[in-house]
Amino acid sequence: MKAHWLKAIATAAVALLSLGTAQKLTFWHYWDGANGQVLQGLIERYQKEHPGVIIEAVFVPGGELLTKLQTAITARQTPTMAISDLVAMPLLTQSGALAPLDDYIRQSNLNLADYFPGPLVYGLYRGKRYSLPVSASNLGLFWNKNLFRQAGLDPNRPPRNWDELLRYAKQIKEKTGKWGIELFTQGGEGTTWQTQVYFWGAGAEFLNANNIAPAFNSPQGVRALQFLVDLVQKEKVAPVAPWGLFGRGEAAMVMDGSWMTQFFPQQVNFELGAAAFPYPAGGRPATNMGGEQIFIFQNADAAAAKAAWDFINWFSSTPVQVEWDRSTGFLPVRRSVANDPAYRAWVSNARPLMRPFVDSMAFARPRPPVARYPQISDIFAKYVQEALLGRLSPKEALDRAAQEVAPLLR
Amino acid sequence: MGTFNFYPALYSLYLSLFEWNGLSPTREFVGLANYTRLLASGEFWNSLWVTLRYAGGVTLLALALGLGVAVLLNQPMRGQALYRVLYFLPVITPTVASGVVWKYLFDPTQGVVNRGLAEVGLVGPSWLSDPSWALVAVIVVGVWKRVGFNMVVYLAALQGIPKTYYEAAQLDGAGPWQQFRYITLPLLAPTTFFLVVTALIDAFQVFDLVYVMTSGGPLGGTDVLGYYLYRQGFRYSELGFASAVAYVMFALIFVVTLMQFRLTRGGQEDG
């Protein structure tokens, strides 16, 4: 009886103490809709398991997050932690506003070798790590099985290399009158990040090893761009047109993102197939990667930073990541998640189209982590368009792009 | 008010002398280097040229069409009020919504525009992906959004012209064209001045339409100054350089406004 009382008093005291000293953390993110709800659910569970920590998640629309972070950093009014799209990470890590995570990672025995190499490239600046990947997406091949059938192709056999891709595309154009493949020809980042997959597949690099000079105008790069130009200009199996032909059944193949495994089935009225994107003979499997990274701000005081790390460590753990990826459809950033039996079973049963995307994470490549990447991407895309429209040869286009990109990397 | 208007404006002038990405702890003072870099940039001149064509196209076409519609709707006719509302609707439709809808209308295969052209045996271009047609498409939408405003202002001006002038002209044997040419047009001149200048100022700052419809593409074909500024500042995080662009835009618009003061004052003295 006595023991009971003591226990009750002790519990009450702990609860009271933790109320007084509750560690409040603010967390800025741009996950909206269902993803935002999943995050909120995880946070609530974390708070229940960790009384004394209150995490206030603040939703900021994706397009505004970087601008808002800029203002916050300039005014020294930063949240405790935040996420960001990969592409903005170099700007953020170089701002001096983020706290290095290396000591925390060591103390928590977080095994970085379990992470896929692609997403880990971000967050590293001058030998220190400032962020951890928490979600990923990548690109693969979708095809329209109905059009494959109509063209007399095996609907369950996607092209495995560029020769087959071209052959299938020509056969589809000939037999059905539809486009063989849809390319993103509208310029900007959309064009760049798709074109990079062809470049990497052909063995070309985008920038050199230290990211201080363009490398895309190599013979392999010219070969890759020539292939795209041929699809449009010579073989006429892909048009220069606004995006969306594949979804409407007007093109038989397309390169699109892992997230479309969720959306295409609701949008299209034909049978879908998905596979890793084909690469040329003598090339290598490749795909491009997107995603988010999480980080802590330098301004947070020691206790808040420690509490933020504890949350990040929990959020990054394999079981929580399995749950996160299952509920959101993001791709795993850790091998232990991709190989988790429950996760693999879920993919096979609920999202079979996602399988090739999960497997592609092993060779998914990051866009070069340089602060001026958006500008470089626009220049590259502009010259890819010039080539697709037949105004410049692939070699000329890439040389000119290299000439304009070079000063931005110095 | 002053704090919110003038402080940012002056701060932006100050920033235009620095190289700064908005995040790095240090900003480097570069003096007028952003301005010289701007003037040496092919993209900037392309952007200025695109803006001039857009502004010229929208201003002239919307002026002519606005006047035409106003003259028509100034006649007694059935459903006059309805027509006036219909022409005015685009003015109050949010630009972003209009842009999204027009983007679909201009779709090369599914869009209403090319289907309509196909009906009369023409093959429409791939509007928004063809560098030589994209600006035309954006101008069409700009005009569509502007005509109603010009019409309303012209209607008011038309109704201010005394009927007696036309009666006198008819007695002298003037036909409808002569009445329009020698009475209506000259008396509308101050209104026209006003509409030209406001349209030019408006057109110089166009951004949302381009942002939604083409993102400045293809190949810089619709890269108007407003979009160029946005790109530099918010996509490339070049805040100093973007501030310099903003000040050059300011200077251009300032010149247009000065011209307006000159011209309207001249107009009044003549009148």
Side-chain angles (χ1 to χ4, degrees):
Chain A
M1 204 58 204
K2 218 175 182 181
H4 257 111
W5 274 109
L6 274 176
K7 205 174 158 193
I9 289 167
T11 318
V14 168
L16 272 175
L17 271 175
S18 64
L19 261 185
T21 59
Q23 186 63 59
K24 209 178 147 209
L25 308 174
T26 44
F27 176 23
W28 289 6
H29 70 93
Y30 58 68
W31 286 313
D32 56 359
N35 296 348
Q37 278 168 19
V38 176
L39 177 71
Q40 200 53 47
L42 287 175
I43 286 175
E44 272 156 30
R45 182 171 357 129
Y46 182 80
Q47 290 177 154
K48 215 169 276 170
E49 287 170 16
H50 300 79
V53 179
I54 297 169
I55 299 172
E56 192 200 345
V58 180
F59 169 77
V60 181
E64 287 163 33
L65 184 65
L66 185 63
T67 320
K68 236 190 134 185
L69 286 176
Q70 277 177 342
T71 321
I73 290 170
T74 317
R76 294 175 200 283
Q77 299 279 332
T78 46
T80 328
M81 56 183 160
I83 58 145
S84 165
D85 186 277
L86 291 183
V87 171
M89 282 318 297
L91 264 183
L92 287 162
T93 43
Q94 290 165 30
S95 72
L98 308 192
L101 303 178
D102 305 85
D103 289 345
Y104 293 123
I105 292 173
R106 217 170 298 124
Q107 282 158 22
S108 308
N109 286 323
L110 180 66
N111 181 14
L112 287 183
D114 184 41
Y115 280 79
F116 289 114
L120 271 190
V121 166
Y122 288 90
L124 207 57
Y125 177 60
R126 292 194 177 154
K128 284 187 177 170
R129 171 158 302 283
Y130 293 90
S131 71
L132 276 179
V134 284
S135 54
S137 57
N138 63 32
L139 295 170
L141 175 82
F142 287 93
W143 77 96
N144 179 329
K145 294 190 177 177
N146 301 26
L147 281 178
F148 267 53
R149 259 183 222 113
Q150 281 174 40
L153 292 166
D154 178 353
N156 293 315
R157 194 180 179 286
R160 292 193 194 138
N161 53 49
W162 286 3
D163 291 342
E164 284 185 0
L165 179 80
L166 176 60
R167 191 151 51 80
Y168 288 15
K170 277 158 86 172
Q171 193 164 332
I172 285 152
K173 184 80 192 288
E174 211 171 282
K175 297 272 169 66
T176 68
K178 306 285 186 184
W179 297 107
I181 182 162
E182 172 170 28
L183 308 176
F184 191 92
T185 56
Q186 305 300 290
E189 179 60 11
T191 290
T192 301
W193 96 310
Q194 292 213 350
T195 307
Q196 280 169 340
V197 176
Y198 290 90
F199 273 56
W200 289 327
E205 291 296 331
F206 192 70
L207 301 183
N208 73 355
N210 310 319
N211 293 322
I212 50 169
F216 45 69
N217 54 339
S218 61
Q220 295 94 322
V222 172
R223 177 189 179 196
L225 187 53
Q226 186 69 56
F227 178 69
L228 294 176
V229 170
D230 285 350
L231 291 176
V232 175
Q233 297 287 341
K234 186 170 145 219
E235 313 288 353
K236 303 199 189 309
V237 293
V240 173
W243 189 241
L245 299 171
F246 178 80
R248 296 198 298 254
E250 288 177 43
M253 294 179 276
V254 73
M255 181 196 291
D256 211 330
S258 47
W259 58 90
M260 292 310 287
T261 57
Q262 200 167 351
F263 301 121
F264 268 149
Q266 301 161 20
Q267 293 170 4
V268 304
N269 53 1
F270 50 81
E271 208 188 324
L272 271 170
F277 206 80
Y279 54 96
R284 57 194 176 186
T287 185
N288 212 330
M289 186 197 68
E292 280 86 32
Q293 306 248 329
I294 197 164
F295 43 85
I296 302 173
F297 282 94
Q298 190 84 270
N299 271 355
D301 65 59
K306 177 74 180 60
W309 169 257
D310 286 341
F311 172 74
I312 291 175
N313 193 27
W314 177 83
F315 189 48
S316 301
S317 68
T318 304
V320 178
Q321 282 286 305
V322 165
E323 202 179 326
W324 172 241
D325 289 339
R326 277 174 57 163
S327 325
T328 57
F330 288 130
L331 296 178
V333 290
R334 301 183 66 156
R335 291 176 226 267
S336 55
V337 176
N339 297 328
D340 180 84
Y343 179 76
R344 292 197 80 83
W346 171 77
V347 171
S348 303
N349 300 328
R351 215 51 95 54
L353 286 173
M354 222 167 92
R355 161 61 35 85
F357 294 90
V358 175
D359 294 340
S360 297
M361 274 314 287
F363 50 81
R365 308 206 16 177
R367 288 157 283 173
V370 291
R372 288 227 162 105
Y373 180 79
Q375 224 162 329
I376 293 168
S377 161
D378 278 5
I379 293 168
F380 180 75
K382 183 176 80 180
Y383 283 102
V384 168
Q385 279 180 300
E386 293 273 14
L388 292 180
L389 290 168
R391 294 178 172 196
L392 292 175
S393 76
K395 175 94 176 89
E396 277 172 325
L398 292 175
D399 281 343
R400 287 208 207 167
Q403 215 174 354
E404 278 186 43
V405 163
L408 295 173
L409 290 164
R410 258 175 234 141
Chain B
M1 274 309 275
T3 320
F4 292 108
N5 281 325
F6 293 110
Y7 177 70
L10 289 176
Y11 185 63
S12 165
L13 182 61
Y14 167 77
L15 269 189
S16 76
L17 306 176
F18 289 84
E19 188 174 321
W20 187 43
N21 66 18
L23 274 172
S24 73
T26 53
R27 31 179 105 149
E28 191 191 341
F29 181 78
V30 293
L32 294 176
N34 283 330
Y35 291 93
T36 49
R37 183 180 139 201
L38 178 74
L39 297 177
S41 149
E43 275 191 26
F44 167 73
W45 291 106
N46 168 62
S47 171
L48 183 60
W49 175 228
V50 170
T51 310
L52 287 174
R53 280 185 296 159
Y54 174 83
V58 169
T59 305
L60 290 179
L61 289 172
L63 204 69
L65 288 171
L67 178 59
V69 175
V71 169
L72 284 178
L73 292 185
N74 199 31
Q75 318 291 325
M77 65 158 86
R78 238 143 107 59
Q80 201 182 36
L82 177 70
Y83 284 118
R84 289 180 185 179
V85 170
L86 284 182
Y87 277 105
F88 197 70
L89 269 182
V91 181
I92 50 170
T93 312
T95 312
V96 171
S98 323
V100 171
V101 171
W102 274 97
K103 205 173 154 174
Y104 284 109
L105 300 184
F106 277 122
D107 187 282
T109 49
Q110 305 281 305
V112 171
V113 176
N114 277 5
R115 284 191 184 179
L117 288 174
E119 289 291 314
V120 293
L122 292 172
V123 179
S126 179
W127 292 96
L128 299 175
S129 353
D130 186 332
S132 41
W133 285 103
L135 186 64
V136 177
V138 179
I139 288 176
V140 167
V141 185
V143 170
W144 171 81
K145 270 202 76 64
R146 181 87 197 171
V147 165
F149 177 76
N150 290 359
M151 170 206 75
V152 165
V153 177
Y154 267 136
L155 262 178
L158 283 172
Q159 280 160 9
I161 301 177
K163 292 269 185 298
T164 49
Y165 290 6
Y166 294 103
E167 287 162 12
Q170 270 167 355
L171 285 180
D172 289 340
W177 168 248
Q178 282 168 317
Q179 290 177 32
F180 179 74
R181 172 71 187 79
Y182 294 105
I183 302 173
T184 316
L185 265 190
L187 288 174
L188 287 180
T191 313
T192 306
F193 272 136
F194 166 77
L195 288 178
V196 166
V197 173
T198 49
L200 278 179
I201 293 176
D202 232 38
F204 255 88
Q205 299 176 70
V206 65
F207 164 75
D208 29 17
L209 211 53
V210 169
Y211 178 82
V212 174
M213 289 181 69
T214 59
S215 299
L219 294 176
T222 60
D223 193 22
V224 290
L225 280 172
Y227 191 78
Y228 179 68
L229 164 69
Y230 160 82
R231 215 151 46 88
Q232 301 295 335
F234 297 98
R235 218 175 117 58
Y236 303 162
S237 297
E238 294 239 30
L239 291 192
F241 187 69
S243 300
V245 177
Y247 265 87
V248 170
M249 268 178 82
F250 166 75
L252 289 168
I253 294 171
F254 189 71
V255 169
V256 175
T257 316
L258 269 187
M259 273 163 49
Q260 179 210 14
F261 276 124
R262 273 282 165 88
L263 289 170
T264 45
R265 210 175 51 209
Q268 274 161 6
E269 276 162 11
D270 287 350

